[in-house]
């Protein structure tokens, strides 16, 4: 380990060793990248995402409370509906109309169940594709959720819910007059093939992607206003990966609950990007995309005019860059390094706009020479993979304000 690296670790340990963490000092350190050693990154992210308070004495009680709360969510939102569904199979004749799965009443518990299934199938499709170039998400976790895998619990797990497409393929669709018609639905045609893509782990094991699926499903249940939007899987993936590879096993064991709360806090800050109706408001994504271009105009007017002249609108590339915090543009270790700086930014993601500008200016020569098609390809499949170069450039842009 280099001496510089050791001294950086010592700097972090000093700030984190105080009874009250000095947030501005911590932000400054994290901005330049957080060492993975000793679980430093996991700890810093939890503080930067407002999951852990600055007073260290409060940590253990808060963690216990939040992790217990998460277990409650699992019981209420996955286990109890799963038990009800499992029991239904046993005693079909006891089912009153009130609780019959095909009861058209919108308040019926089953109506909620089917609606949840639509969300679940979308999540399932997305989480199975997380970082396909890495084996991590397909591998079994060292800490499977015992609540879910308890052999005493005869209930329908999320995995089984996705696999049993019989009732689910009857998509309950209402026509205008409120009559329910059950059609055998097309949305599920793609499911069986995608299910066979991956080997199913033996009983008692669960893959990391299944944990991510649970986190997103519970988030969707608790936040019905936004529920689940494609792309959220790309936000939760790097968080969960970081916590699930924590070298400190006491923390690693609780990666699922801790990821859930950090993801919820992060979404509270960026969820407006996912809400279509806010697109044109000041907090929405359109405003932020325009801001990338107005910042570029300030920093490099020639490049700005070239993109304008070619009618390359920021939504063609910056929508994905901003909404997904660049998680699709780089390999996972690089995404995590970029997030160190983004989470440390006290103006919360203003720095992201500068990173996007830096990405544009670093390929300015190619963009100035290229035609529309070539430039679109460059922007949608960004060529520079050295994130340190990009972050350095973004910092220069920030300092030149």
């Amino acid at each position: 380990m280099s001496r510089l690296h050791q001294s950086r670790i010592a700097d972090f340990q000093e700030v984190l060793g105080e009874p009250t963490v000095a947030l501005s000092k911590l932000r400054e350190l994290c901005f330049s990248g957080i060492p993975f050693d000793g679980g430093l990154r996991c700890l810093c992210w939890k503080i930067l995402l407002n999951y852990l308070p600055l007073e260290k004495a409060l940590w253990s009680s808060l963690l216990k409370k939040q992790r217990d709360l998460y277990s409650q969510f699992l019981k209420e939102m996955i286990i109890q509906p799963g038990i009800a569904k499992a029991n239904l199979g046993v005693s079909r004749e006891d089912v009153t109309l009130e609780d019959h799965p095909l009861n058209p009443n919108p308040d019926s518990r089953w109506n909620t169940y089917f609606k949840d299934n639509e969300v679940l199938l979308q999540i399932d499709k997305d989480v199975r594709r997380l970082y396909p170039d890495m084996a991590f998400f397909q591998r079994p976790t060292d800490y499977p959720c015992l609540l879910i895998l308890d052999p005493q619990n005869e209930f329908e797990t999320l995995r089984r819910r996705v696999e049993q497409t019989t009732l689910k393929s009857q998509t309950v669709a209402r026509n205008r007059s409120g009559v329910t018609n059950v059609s055998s639905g097309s949305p599920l045609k793609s499911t069986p093939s995608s299910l066979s893509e991956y080997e199913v782990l033996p009983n008692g094991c669960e893959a990391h992607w299944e944990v991510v699926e649970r986190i997103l499903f519970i988030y969707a249940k608790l936040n019905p206003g936004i529920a689940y939007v494609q792309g959220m899987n790309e936000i939760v993936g790097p968080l969960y990966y970081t916590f699930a590879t924590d070298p400190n096993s006491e923390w690693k064991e609780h990666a699922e609950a801790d990821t859930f709360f950090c993801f919820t806090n992060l979404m509270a800050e960026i969820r407006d990007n996912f809400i279509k109706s806010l697109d044109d408001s000041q907090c929405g994504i359109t405003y932020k995309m325009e801001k990338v271009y107005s910042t570029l105009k300030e920093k490099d007017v020639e490049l700005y005019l070239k993109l304008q002249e070619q009618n390359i609108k920021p939504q063609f590339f910056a929508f994905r860059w901003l909404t997904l915090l660049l998680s699709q543009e780089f390999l996972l270790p690089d995404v995590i390094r970029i997030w160190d700086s983004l989470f440390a930014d006290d103006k919360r993601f203003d720095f992201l706009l500068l990173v996007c500008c830096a990405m544009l200016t670093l390929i300015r020569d190619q963009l100035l020479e290229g035609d529309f098609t070539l430039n679109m390809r460059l922007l949608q499949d960004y060529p520079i993979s050295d994130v340190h170069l990009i972050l350095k450039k973004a910092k220069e842009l920030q300092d030149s304000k």
Side-chain angles (χ1 to χ4, degrees):
M1 196 189 296
S2 72
R3 184 164 296 163
L4 175 68
H5 189 68
Q6 276 176 317
S7 81
R8 274 192 60 71
I9 292 176
D11 291 344
F12 274 92
Q13 285 169 338
E14 189 185 333
V15 171
L16 294 166
E18 296 290 327
T20 300
V21 177
L23 186 58
S24 58
K25 272 192 199 160
L26 184 70
R27 283 190 193 283
E28 204 178 309
L29 280 175
C30 295
F31 187 81
S32 317
I34 308 169
F36 174 73
D37 313 66
L40 286 174
R41 175 177 279 126
C42 306
L43 182 53
C44 292
W45 279 17
K46 286 173 180 133
I47 296 170
L48 295 173
L49 292 171
N50 304 318
Y51 178 44
L52 285 179
L54 298 175
E55 291 78 33
K56 269 176 81 169
L58 302 174
W59 288 0
S60 60
S61 62
L62 175 117
L63 288 170
K64 181 171 179 351
K65 190 176 116 235
Q66 296 299 84
R67 290 161 179 174
D68 289 348
L69 176 61
Y70 187 74
S71 295
Q72 257 331 98
F73 293 155
L74 290 178
K75 285 177 190 153
E76 285 167 31
M77 290 168 218
I78 296 179
I79 294 176
Q80 283 162 6
I83 290 174
K85 177 71 167 44
N87 291 345
L88 180 74
V90 182
S91 51
R92 276 317 283 262
E93 62 281 7
D94 304 341
V95 180
T96 59
L97 174 68
E98 186 40 51
D99 240 350
H100 191 281
L102 299 184
N103 169 13
N105 173 3
D107 300 328
S108 149
R109 189 166 47 151
W110 292 111
N111 198 47
T112 312
Y113 184 88
F114 288 130
K115 277 218 164 51
D116 288 350
N117 277 350
E118 286 169 30
V119 174
L120 178 59
L121 286 173
Q122 181 58 58
I123 294 174
D124 190 76
K125 211 162 68 207
D126 294 345
V127 292
R128 285 170 185 271
R129 292 197 295 245
L130 262 179
Y131 291 96
D133 49 343
M134 287 176 63
F136 173 80
F137 286 97
Q138 309 308 325
R139 286 207 186 111
T141 162
D142 297 338
Y143 299 100
C145 178
L146 300 177
L147 268 177
I148 298 288
L149 296 175
D150 180 359
Q152 302 301 307
N153 269 338
E154 252 317 296
F155 80 99
E156 190 188 42
T157 59
L158 290 187
R159 185 205 282 175
R160 225 173 293 159
R161 240 172 118 155
V162 171
E163 287 165 1
Q164 292 174 343
T165 46
T166 43
L167 271 176
K168 270 172 236 113
S169 62
Q170 301 181 320
T171 311
V172 178
R174 263 195 196 75
N175 66 19
R176 286 241 171 99
S177 56
V179 179
T180 301
N181 58 38
V182 175
S183 57
S184 76
S186 52
L188 297 147
K189 285 204 176 124
S190 61
T191 312
S193 63
S194 64
L195 283 173
S196 56
E197 272 174 46
Y198 302 114
E199 54 187 312
V200 172
L201 295 169
N203 274 346
C205 293
E206 46 179 8
H208 288 293
W209 67 262
E210 294 183 75
V211 181
V212 175
E213 176 165 271
R214 250 196 321 269
I215 292 168
L216 287 166
F217 182 71
I218 289 181
Y219 178 82
K221 290 282 288 170
L222 287 170
N223 296 276
I226 182 170
Y228 172 75
V229 181
Q230 208 167 4
M232 286 181 185
N233 54 315
E234 307 293 348
I235 300 286
V236 84
L239 283 177
Y240 174 73
Y241 174 81
T242 300
F243 295 164
T245 54
D246 192 330
N248 178 343
S249 58
E250 287 160 61
W251 291 69
K252 183 179 178 176
E253 188 179 341
H254 298 285
E256 179 175 349
D258 293 348
T259 301
F260 171 80
F261 289 107
C262 287
F263 172 67
T264 300
N265 290 357
L266 179 55
M267 282 304 298
E269 299 187 31
I270 62 170
R271 60 182 279 168
D272 294 347
N273 296 345
F274 287 90
I275 299 176
K276 273 207 163 48
S277 59
L278 288 177
D279 277 0
D280 298 322
S281 70
Q282 261 204 324
C283 50
I285 188 73
T286 309
Y287 175 75
K288 291 179 186 130
M289 290 190 295
E290 295 301 339
K291 197 118 167 56
V292 171
Y293 265 24
S294 58
T295 311
L296 181 67
K297 188 178 178 182
E298 261 170 57
K299 307 286 182 189
D300 189 338
V301 70
E302 188 189 357
L303 179 56
Y304 167 78
L305 291 171
K306 172 76 178 184
L307 294 175
Q308 287 287 35
E309 173 201 321
Q310 290 189 346
N311 203 12
I312 294 180
K313 299 191 183 334
Q315 45 270 45
F316 296 162
F317 61 93
F319 179 80
R320 188 175 77 187
W321 290 7
L322 294 167
T323 306
L324 303 180
L325 307 181
L326 296 169
S327 61
Q328 288 273 279
E329 313 316 309
F330 302 98
L331 295 170
L332 186 57
D334 294 332
V335 171
I336 289 170
R337 169 60 194 92
I338 292 171
W339 284 17
D340 287 344
S341 296
L342 294 184
F343 295 166
D345 172 21
D346 60 346
K347 297 211 173 51
R348 270 322 193 221
F349 309 121
D350 273 12
F351 187 66
L352 177 58
L353 301 174
L354 294 170
V355 174
C356 294
C357 273
M359 287 168 68
L360 294 171
T361 55
L362 285 170
I363 55 169
R364 73 185 301 272
D365 296 349
Q366 289 151 281
L367 289 170
L368 291 172
E369 280 169 26
D371 60 7
F372 175 85
T373 315
L374 204 67
N375 285 347
M376 280 300 294
R377 197 172 304 145
L378 276 174
L379 294 168
Q380 300 206 325
D381 188 6
Y382 188 75
I384 296 177
S385 59
D386 181 354
V387 296
H388 297 95
L389 184 66
I390 295 166
L391 291 168
K392 186 166 164 260
K393 182 71 185 167
K395 183 81 180 88
E396 282 166 20
L397 294 174
Q398 189 180 47
D399 294 341
S400 70
K401 274 195 161 170

